[in-house]
Amino acid sequence: MAESADRDANRALRARFDEVYGQYQRLRSGLDELQARLAELRVTERSDDGQVTAVVGARGELISVEVSPAVFHDRDARALSRKITETVLRANAAAGTTTRELVAGYLPPGSPSVEFLRTHDFGALLGRADAAVSRGE
């Protein structure tokens, strides 16, 4: 009877291992593709009046800002500064959303890495690893 229970437990462990290993293989095989897609990612946002265009990369890094010559007719430096800042911030937020969506497609559902990209909370990201270490896994 105990031998049968051991075999059943071993089968269950083996099935779980196969599942986790399959997830790892899918993640690993898609990693190169994900890196390439993130490297090429460009998000463009325009100000509401279309006078400022900001382009950012996957991490929200500013790649370019274009300003329409029409903005110089107003000669309001503060308004232009606000418009540029708001447009860059919108582009940055859109890049974050797009990056999370891309990464989520390559990771298991509920992955703490995807949640970290949303919250930037290292505590939550490392909390799962800390819990596993404290359980002795």
Side-chain angles (χ1 to χ4, degrees), residues 19-99:
E19 176 187 338
V20 170
Y21 187 67
Q23 288 175 348
Y24 166 77
Q25 286 180 313
R26 285 189 296 281
L27 175 62
R28 184 65 194 119
S29 67
L31 191 56
D32 291 337
E33 178 186 348
L34 175 60
Q35 287 177 326
R37 290 180 72 184
L38 290 172
E40 295 170 359
L41 180 69
R42 299 293 181 263
V43 175
T44 302
E45 285 287 328
R46 288 183 178 69
S47 61
D48 292 337
D49 61 7
Q51 293 181 337
V52 175
T53 302
V55 179
V56 300
R59 288 180 268 153
E61 70 276 15
L62 185 61
I63 295 170
S64 70
V65 173
E66 293 180 18
V67 179
S68 164
V71 300
F72 298 109
H73 296 295
D74 295 336
R75 297 187 184 262
D76 185 348
R78 279 197 186 138
L80 177 58
S81 293
R82 274 193 310 275
K83 194 180 300 188
I84 290 171
T85 301
E86 289 168 3
T87 305
V88 169
L89 289 174
R90 280 201 334 254
N92 184 285
T97 299
T98 303
T99 298

Side-chain angles (χ1 to χ4, degrees), residues 10-21:
N10 284 340
R11 271 192 221 109
L13 285 172
R14 180 64 184 178
R16 178 68 179 134
F17 172 79
D18 289 344
E19 176 187 338
V20 170
Y21 187 67

